[in-house]
Amino acid sequence: MKYIIVTGGVMSGLGKGISMASIGRILKDHGYKIVPIKIDPYINIDAGTMNPYQHGEVYVLGDGTEVDLDLGHYERFMDVKLGREHNITTGVVYSAVIERERKGEYLGHTVQIIPHVTDEIKARIRKVATKGGADVCLVEIGGTVGDIESMPFLEAVRQMKLEEHENDFLFVHVTLVPFTTLHEQKTKPTQHSVKALRELGLQPDIIVCRGKEALKEDVKEKIAMFCNVSPGAVISAPDTEDIYEVPLLLEKEGIFSYIKERMRLKQLKEDHAWERMVERRKSCDDKKNFIAIVGKYAELEDSYLSIKEAIKHAATELGCKVDTKWVEAEDLKGEKDAHSLFYDVHGILVPGGFGARGAEGKIKAIEYVRENKIPFLGLCFGFQLAVIEAARNVAGLKDANSSELYETPHPVIDLLEEQRKVVKKGGTMRLGDYDVFIRRDTLAEEAYGKKKIVERHRHRYEVNPEYIETLKREGLVFSGTDRTGVRMVILEIPQHPFFFATQFHPEFRSRPNRPSPPFKAFLEACLRVRPI
Ligand code: GLN
């Protein structure tokens, strides 16, 4: 088994996750079976309770684990299916150790960070690495070198390096090379962060240097010299317009040749499908799509990261470019606001969300698209609000609402009895991949081309079964349900050019070379209905 460990220096948000996802993609394209692990040194067990304002979107895995958005990058770039064991947090590690201590399994020893916590970390990494028969296991250690929380993890990988064969272990350090106003590239922050790493007994093999522009040759040499790596192992990773280009850029910089030689990898094969996809994206300029996303965290685009990526995937396939207007839901008050915000867009997307703030604004937006026949895609909360809007303005149930938001005589969106029991037991949401059954002769069937699909979920509330008949009578079509037929999970309005909403989150299963069907159908409708 071979291991590549990715650490970060200088500051967070440098694109460490994308660097690791790109290295994984490169290895995969050369024929290697890879498995990624994300270590999040925070104390939370998982990202389920985290505020998207602080951390960006909560990504959901197939098995329902709520994780950091980097796992979304891994699934998209490496095209792998990940689960709970691929995300190791301090919370997970310490709970396991404490549980074992309570059971007396440490046989009276004092339980310590070294060796007990570090052993637990190593065992978890090795278990995931060997389970699926991968050739290379990639481990990203979240945070920045020097953070208190990441110490036990860095110590664990230091020990692992000694325990594994020298050719089987490689460290990649991602740092920042800032510019001065005089356009000088400064290496000191990189030197300092490598120094911090070396103080912990870790020597990077490869240094990936992020920055606005490509590294100058003499700067590369300087970093190599001061950080004790060979010049070929200093990789320049300047900003790119398109993140999907990063694997190609890193490969051009020689990262694979270096890894291959250092880890004694054989040349297996070369797959160029990714490269072709990136090429296709470059030529997507002629047709332009302009859509609005009406959200609560609209000012923080990272909270809708997977949606942004899913839009890109679909656009690439359709050969179009999409410009997005981020609209803060609370800015929508009346018909006038809706018109001034949306008169020039080709389609409107209302994403997932929680809580009452902004909900009325989103409902206003949905009313506007329904009445003005503008293509609409509603996701999760967006689906629920579309049901509320139709109940109020089409079925005449004036105070229809979701019981998540307000007490109402018409809770058209409500907790099902089954979910109440889950919540009582301390569970939270309906999470992860579930089968969806699709009705014949609907937009959903046209989009998916299948009778049964799998999509990823993250919600508590459902369309209240008591109102389904009333809503159907008013022209709403529920074209997808769960296995039992009790949960309505896709909504469409046939008398509208494209009004489509899903209780699930199709964005999580979208891949650069395999766009999500609802996103593709939505963008197609935008081009068709309001062409430029
Ligand atoms: N708040 C809604 C629910 O819990 C929708 C959740 C979401 O959009 N992810 O059901």
Side-chain angles (χ1 to χ4, degrees), residues 400-414:
N401 217 318
S402 162
S403 53
E404 174 188 2
L405 311 178
Y406 289 106
E407 229 177 85
T408 157
H410 292 300
V412 287
I413 302 293
D414 200 5

Side-chain angles (χ1 to χ4, degrees), residues 435-439 451-453 479-484 489:
D435 289 343
V436 172
F437 293 81
I438 298 209
R439 215 175 114 178
K451 278 202 235 108
K452 194 187 101 179
I453 54 159
S479 52
T481 66
D482 73 337
R483 182 176 289 281
T484 62
V489 298

Side-chain angles (χ1 to χ4, degrees), residues 350 366 376-380 382-387 443 477-480 488-493 498-504 506 518:
V350 177
I366 297 169
F376 165 70
L377 182 64
L379 306 175
C380 206
F383 162 93
Q384 298 176 354
L385 296 174
V387 171
L443 268 181
V477 171
F478 290 105
S479 52
M488 301 297 120
V489 298
I490 308 178
L491 163 72
E492 41 193 270
I493 299 182
F498 188 86
F499 191 101
F500 194 85
T502 65
Q503 178 63 84
F504 47 81

Side-chain angles (χ1 to χ4, degrees), residues 315-386:
T316 306
E317 181 139 322
L318 295 173
C320 68
K321 263 236 155 70
V322 177
D323 286 330
T324 311
K325 180 182 214 169
W326 297 88
V327 174
E328 180 59 47
E330 283 189 303
D331 292 344
L332 268 151
K333 295 205 175 68
E335 166 72 20
K336 255 218 181 116
D337 286 333
H339 184 75
S340 61
L341 286 164
F342 301 136
Y343 75 95
D344 56 347
V345 302
H346 301 126
I348 295 174
L349 189 155
V350 177
F354 294 84
R357 189 171 74 76
E360 288 302 323
K362 292 178 190 174
I363 291 174
K364 272 265 155 353
I366 297 169
E367 183 181 353
Y368 184 81
V369 294
R370 188 179 50 72
E371 287 184 346
N372 293 284
K373 305 233 183 281
I374 297 167
F376 165 70
L377 182 64
L379 306 175
C380 206
F381 201 38
F383 162 93
Q384 298 176 354
L385 296 174

Side-chain angles (χ1 to χ4, degrees), residues 100-140:
R100 194 162 301 136
E101 185 273 331
R102 288 290 84 188
K103 284 192 196 146
E105 287 180 25
Y106 292 110
L107 309 172
H109 285 281
T110 311
V111 181
Q112 295 181 297
I113 292 180
I114 305 170
H116 303 103
V117 167
T118 48
D119 279 355
E120 179 68 31
I121 295 168
K122 290 189 289 181
R124 279 176 184 264
I125 294 176
R126 287 195 169 108
K127 191 167 158 209
V128 177
T130 46
K131 196 174 128 192
D135 305 305
V136 185
C137 174
L138 296 117
V139 185
E140 178 187 347

